[in-house]
Amino acid sequence: MAMACILPDNPPTKLPKEALRVFKALKALPDSYYVWHHLAPWQLNMPDFLVINKQGKALLIKVSAAAEDQTSVASQMLLLGEEKQALGQNENALLSKFVQALNLPKNQFVETLVIFPNIHDKQVQASRLKRGAGEPHWLGKEVAQPNSIFDWETLFPSAALDVVWLEKLRQRFTPEVVVPAEMTVRPVIDRRREAGLTDYLLDYDQEKAVKLDLELPDEDQPLPNDMRLNIINGVAGSGKTLILLYRLRLLLHLYPDKRFLVLTHNRPLSRDMESRFTKLEGREAKNVEWRTFSGWCYQYWSPTTKWKEPLKLGARKRIIEEVWREHLQQTNISAQMFQSEVDWLKDQVPMSRKDYLGVERRGRGFRLNEEQRQRIFDALQAYQSALKKRETLDWGDVPRLLWKFTESGEVKLPEYDIILIDEAQFFAPLWTKLIQKALTPKSGHLFVVADPTQGFLGRGGSWKALGLEARGHTHHLRKSYRTTREIMQFATLLYRLRVPEDKEDEVLIPDILNMPNGAIPQILSLTSAQDEVARVANEVEMLVRQGFSRKHLLLLHADGAGVQHLVQAINERLGKNAALDAKDTFPGDYVRVTTINAGAGLESQIVFLVGLRQLFEAEQSLRLSDEERESLIKDNSRKLYMAITRAGQRLVLTYAGELPEALERALNVNS
């Protein structure tokens, strides 16, 4: 028989033996029961368990540590005519106070129960005058014993709680999974608003992900593997970042002396996460570091090696093309292929020429024979010599040099007990190797959340290629909460129209059945890039004048120059710092503008996608081989899917010129 759905599935800390016995008894109930163990360390003097049956009836349980000798004291008090009882007095009062604070309407009921795991039920019942109206049930140790045949249904109220009041009960009992309204972009449902419910709860799957394997080993009881690993794969809008933040909060309270590191790949997301966590926690946590991976590498750069700002993309591209013309122009390897291969090689643990000739290149989008690999390796060495001659480096060299420093002993990385990674699909094998070096050996915990439609996962890569054994450690989330049915359908349809031959299981398909309806995505067709910037700035100005908050507007442009033009145009209309690049500033009351690449992980009620023509035109370049074109279309399609699903309630796209057929068809189907 399947067991009850209990959260967390395993106790996260060493429970008192009485509570542990009740935990095991509740876990053994049939799977028609949902059970929550009170977990929030910052909320003391609470019921221990909440049980909800399949009809939606609720039972609150408090476990007593009272011993048998306390029953005799209670009996003597009864004989003396005392009204107060020693046994169960505190537990009764605690449960009563909790229920009263719910302010339930007269037609809504919650039953309560005190369990005495150290005392036989006969003695428990003999120690009580009688159960008054609304008072808790009392049960002895028999109910918590293995193979108990007790009928739990006799304890539940006669009627189910209304779903709104059930959610209010959950919000009070499990504050560790309450999502404040300001931390989500989902629309408020009228019935919830009428009941005064503006905050949300993580759903069961999200909560399960937050509470997986919370117990960390003692130093003298190391893990059987090198670390504890949990991977969360989720569709866009499934709450992956929230799950990471809520897990961090729980772990921070359960293990306040541990050292934490939170990593992601871009500055806007890192700053957004730190800001949200500070609001959630109400304080800055001194033992939590927030870093982009590159920023973390720089933090622990060798003190004997002068830090050099890596090349900007344009300058790097010019050097790449110079080397390509000298070494590869007469081959069928294009400059784009060479740059892509350089990036891929620098993402791997440093390898020799021999290693490169034999390495598997799964998901690369183009094949290379042995001769081509030899030529590329020669060109890579020439590229590195060109960088050295200019006394510079590129971003791929940053982790490679840190790896070199750690291998030689020149740098010793700090040790972290717990490392959490958001948008891990953009992390490279070399990155994860460095991160594992920084985990406390044999007791460290690595918690990873990722979108399998993006990054190396979107190109057919695997966690195993990153040195992570995902089997048995992965949790999947298929329900999207951020956006509307119309926006999600548009994102999915556009992807399918552009990449029809993609395998169905390569994109984690969202469950859209219960998604809220909303506005149909809008396209603004314009004649030039200049008109595009002016029109978007005017639209933003109009929305702000109509009362929309600036912080609820997110603009994603295809390139960095376009970001600066948008920021300037909006500030000319709305004043200085009305718009800012999210890469450079912590979240605040301003219009966020950044590149599509830097938008991964961000979200907003209203999103503008600008400069899309650049993406589509790049796919038509005559310099691309068929393999390269196919790979670029697929990468851009996944990038568009990500960008579209940043929108919570409204999506506006702009396009300078004639609309591509796939974009027009996707919009027409939705309208």
Side-chain angles (χ1 to χ4, degrees):
M1 180 180 68
M3 295 188 294
C5 303
I6 189 166
L7 289 170
D9 189 61
N10 293 301
T13 55
K14 291 180 172 61
L15 292 180
K17 63 181 185 302
E18 295 85 4
L20 185 59
R21 288 206 292 271
V22 174
F23 182 98
K24 292 177 178 178
L26 293 171
K27 190 174 182 178
L29 290 173
D31 60 3
S32 57
Y33 291 90
Y34 281 80
V35 183
W36 284 267
H37 165 49
H38 182 258
L39 196 55
W42 58 89
Q43 192 182 54
L44 303 175
N45 300 319
M46 293 286 288
D48 293 304
F49 299 97
L50 168 63
V51 186
I52 299 174
N53 70 4
K54 63 182 178 181
Q55 290 85 25
K57 301 175 183 180
L59 175 69
L60 287 161
I61 301 174
K62 184 64 184 172
V63 179
S64 173
E68 284 193 12
D69 58 4
Q70 290 181 252
T71 60
S72 60
V73 174
S75 300
Q76 291 171 15
M77 294 178 73
L78 289 176
L79 291 172
L80 295 171
E82 294 282 353
E83 293 183 2
K84 293 185 178 181
Q85 303 171 44
L87 188 68
Q89 176 181 332
N90 293 335
E91 291 84 357
N92 278 8
L94 183 149
L95 290 168
S96 176
K97 182 179 179 181
F98 183 93
V99 174
Q100 286 175 9
L102 294 172
N103 293 316
L104 295 171
K106 292 183 178 179
N107 63 341
Q108 300 292 314
F109 302 98
V110 174
E111 283 287 2
T112 55
L113 166 67
V114 181
I115 297 180
F116 300 87
N118 297 324
I119 309 172
H120 287 284
D121 188 64
K122 185 175 181 180
Q123 292 173 276
V124 168
Q125 305 309 332
S127 302
R128 193 179 198 186
L129 285 171
K130 65 176 181 178
R131 182 188 178 223
E135 290 185 344
H137 299 276
W138 281 13
L139 289 175
K141 65 192 301 181
E142 289 80 2
V143 72
Q145 290 179 344
N147 304 317
S148 171
I149 59 172
F150 181 78
D151 184 4
W152 285 84
E153 286 297 319
T154 60
L155 302 174
F156 287 88
S158 58
L161 272 178
D162 180 88
V163 290
V164 169
W165 288 101
L166 192 56
E167 184 169 345
K168 284 195 170 185
L169 169 61
R170 282 282 322 282
Q171 289 199 12
R172 178 159 168 75
F173 186 79
T174 55
E176 69 275 7
V177 292
V178 173
V179 183
E182 62 269 20
M183 286 186 63
T184 178
V185 299
R186 71 174 85 173
V188 179
I189 300 170
D190 288 341
R191 183 160 181 254
R192 299 182 82 258
R193 186 187 289 112
E194 291 166 3
L197 273 176
T198 55
D199 297 340
Y200 289 86
L201 286 166
L202 298 180
D203 76 5
Y204 184 83
D205 284 337
Q206 292 171 321
E207 186 177 355
K208 185 176 181 181
V210 167
K211 297 178 177 178
L212 283 168
D213 299 327
L214 284 172
E215 186 168 13
L216 299 181
D218 297 328
E219 292 184 3
D220 57 347
Q221 294 178 320
L223 291 163
N225 300 313
D226 287 338
M227 63 180 175
R228 171 160 288 157
L229 172 67
N230 292 105
I231 298 173
I232 309 299
N233 281 338
V235 298
S238 57
K240 299 182 294 296
T241 300
L242 276 180
I243 287 168
L244 184 149
L245 295 177
Y246 277 65
R247 185 175 181 88
L248 171 61
R249 180 168 64 153
L250 267 180
L251 289 170
L252 183 62
H253 283 272
L254 290 169
Y255 307 103
D257 297 327
K258 300 290 187 183
R259 187 175 184 182
F260 296 80
L261 173 65
V262 184
L263 292 172
T264 189
H265 74 298
N266 70 62
R267 281 180 289 168
L269 179 55
S270 181
R271 287 171 169 161
D272 180 71
M273 290 168 65
E274 182 177 1
S275 174
R276 291 163 79 182
F277 185 78
T278 302
K279 290 177 183 176
L280 185 67
E281 182 65 8
R283 65 184 176 99
E284 290 186 12
K286 301 299 183 183
N287 54 336
V288 179
E289 285 185 41
W290 303 85
R291 303 284 181 193
T292 63
F293 180 76
S294 294
W296 178 74
C297 289
Y298 169 62
Q299 179 81 3
Y300 300 105
W301 201 255
S302 170
T304 62
T305 303
K306 184 179 178 181
W307 168 258
K308 303 167 186 175
E309 184 69 28
L311 281 171
K312 295 191 181 299
L313 294 180
R316 178 177 187 259
K317 185 177 181 181
R318 288 192 291 273
I319 299 175
I320 285 279
E321 289 181 345
E322 286 176 15
V323 173
W324 172 79
R325 281 193 292 270
E326 183 178 346
H327 293 269
L328 298 168
Q329 188 171 17
Q330 305 306 316
T331 71
N332 58 0
I333 301 168
S334 68
Q336 288 88 348
M337 290 169 68
F338 174 52
Q339 180 172 320
S340 173
E341 195 70 1
V342 169
D343 291 339
W344 181 81
L345 269 165
K346 290 194 175 189
D347 280 343
Q348 313 305 309
V349 174
M351 62 180 75
S352 65
R353 182 189 295 268
K354 181 180 179 181
D355 293 333
Y356 176 56
L357 294 178
V359 72
E360 182 181 345
R361 298 172 58 260
R362 182 182 177 187
R364 293 291 298 118
F366 55 91
R367 299 180 184 86
L368 294 173
N369 59 34
E370 183 175 341
E371 181 187 356
Q372 290 171 319
R373 294 195 192 197
Q374 292 275 18
R375 304 273 308 253
I376 283 179
F377 202 86
D378 288 338
L380 171 64
Q381 291 180 323
Y383 170 66
Q384 290 301 114
S385 295
L387 293 180
K388 185 176 181 180
K389 183 178 180 181
R390 290 168 173 82
E391 296 185 343
T392 187
L393 72 165
D394 65 19
W395 282 106
D397 290 320
V398 174
R400 288 171 68 85
L401 283 172
L402 184 59
W403 176 268
K404 176 184 173 183
F405 297 150
T406 60
E407 288 290 286
S408 67
E410 189 175 348
V411 167
K412 179 172 174 51
L413 293 173
E415 286 189 2
Y416 300 90
D417 302 291
I418 300 166
I419 299 178
L420 304 95
I421 304 175
D422 198 6
E423 300 291 334
Q425 70 274 6
F426 296 116
F427 278 52
L430 179 58
W431 298 18
T432 57
K433 289 292 185 184
L434 280 166
I435 289 165
Q436 288 178 65
K437 279 191 173 191
L439 270 174
T440 304
K442 293 294 183 180
S443 64
H445 174 39
L446 180 61
F447 186 80
V448 169
V449 300
D451 181 345
T453 69
Q454 302 294 322
F456 74 89
L457 292 173
R459 295 190 295 272
S462 66
W463 293 111
K464 188 174 183 180
L466 264 70
L468 301 177
E469 181 51 63
R471 185 175 299 175
H473 301 284
T474 305
H475 188 76
H476 296 282
L477 301 171
R478 293 186 175 273
K479 193 168 184 179
S480 177
Y481 290 95
R482 176 189 301 133
T483 192
T484 63
R485 186 194 306 263
E486 287 77 9
I487 292 173
M488 183 59 79
Q489 286 179 330
F490 170 65
T492 305
L493 179 59
L494 179 62
Y495 182 85
R496 292 297 174 213
L497 287 171
R498 284 172 51 81
V499 196
E501 74 282 359
D502 197 6
K503 296 178 183 178
E504 190 71 17
D505 60 356
E506 283 194 17
V507 175
L508 196 58
I509 303 299
D511 173 11
I512 65 171
L513 291 179
N514 297 312
M515 294 180 70
N517 292 321
I520 294 171
Q522 178 186 4
I523 183 77
L524 302 178
S525 186
L526 301 154
T527 57
S528 68
Q530 291 81 1
D531 290 342
E532 190 175 28
V533 169
R535 176 63 184 275
V536 171
N538 289 339
E539 291 284 330
V540 168
E541 180 186 19
M542 184 174 63
L543 287 169
V544 172
R545 303 292 186 206
Q546 289 173 352
F548 287 90
S549 174
R550 290 182 293 192
K551 66 182 179 181
H552 292 159
L553 301 174
L554 173 64
L555 281 58
L556 301 176
H557 200 289
D559 79 359
V563 168
Q564 298 310 311
H565 292 149
L566 277 172
V567 169
Q568 182 179 353
I570 294 168
N571 287 340
E572 287 173 355
R573 289 161 174 77
L574 293 175
K576 184 179 179 181
N577 294 335
L580 294 168
D581 189 336
K583 287 182 180 178
D584 303 327
T585 313
F586 275 85
D589 187 22
Y590 63 86
V591 178
R592 290 172 293 164
V593 189
T594 194
T595 61
I596 289 177
N597 287 340
L602 301 180
E603 63 181 17
S604 188
Q605 279 87 341
I606 302 173
V607 171
F608 286 79
L609 297 188
V610 191
L612 298 184
R613 180 175 177 173
Q614 295 182 37
L615 295 180
F616 284 86
E617 282 192 341
E619 297 166 0
Q620 306 309 315
S621 172
L622 297 177
R623 300 174 68 178
L624 295 175
S625 68
D626 289 343
E627 278 187 324
E628 287 178 292
R629 194 182 321 280
E630 180 182 338
S631 178
L632 182 58
I633 289 173
K634 188 170 182 178
D635 283 348
N636 281 348
S637 298
R638 292 180 181 275
K639 188 183 297 184
L640 285 168
Y641 181 92
M642 176 277 294
I644 290 166
T645 54
R646 301 305 94 197
Q649 300 174 31
R650 183 178 171 190
L651 173 70
V652 181
L653 305 95
T654 64
Y655 199 91
E658 185 178 349
L659 288 181
E661 181 184 358
L663 189 57
E664 189 169 20
R665 283 179 62 189
L667 287 164
N668 288 338
V669 168
N670 239 325
S671 60

